[in-house]
Amino acid sequence: MATNKPTPQIDDDAPFWDAATDHELRMQQCEDCGHIRWPPGPVCPECWAEPHEWTELSGRGEVNTWVVFHRVYFDAFADDVPYNVAEVELEEGPRYLAPVNCENDDLYRGMPVEVYFDDVAEDVTLPKFTPR
């Protein structure tokens, strides 16, 4: 399996992408105050503590806002136009940007969604969302 679309550059967020490959949504959780953060970082933005773990999240959330791309900015996405990218506020608090698998006109603020995993390449799985 291969993709002609750009894939994430995996760096300090490798545990996130490894979990996605296993069809799990994991983000950093501060071991001191419990804050769950995205994007990952070396310290908690709430209490500045360093210790953290990669905790599994429910994958449920609500659409907070979104954009629909009607123009081809990257040739690899030409066949997808128009497509959406939504900011999903997860039940656990963090916000994550990803497409929602629905008609663009059906999106609304507060739409309940849940994660699904799109295996786009042998070693890359993208978390995306679908209405629930």
Side-chain angles (χ1 to χ4, degrees), residues 115-132:
V115 73
Y116 75 94
F117 296 92
D118 187 1
D119 300 314
V120 297
E122 189 172 312
D123 58 344
V124 178
T125 299
L126 301 177
K128 297 180 179 181
F129 291 88
T130 188
R132 59 177 166 98

Side-chain angles (χ1 to χ4, degrees), residues 83-130:
Y83 64 92
N84 70 69
V85 176
E87 179 191 70
V88 173
E89 186 168 347
L90 298 166
E91 286 181 350
E92 295 84 356
R95 293 179 177 181
Y96 186 75
L97 298 174
V100 177
N101 186 21
C102 70
E103 295 296 322
N104 295 324
D105 290 341
D106 291 342
L107 284 165
Y108 62 92
R109 190 172 194 285
M111 172 187 257
V113 293
E114 64 187 350
V115 73
Y116 75 94
F117 296 92
D118 187 1
D119 300 314
V120 297
E122 189 172 312
D123 58 344
V124 178
T125 299
L126 301 177
K128 297 180 179 181
F129 291 88
T130 188

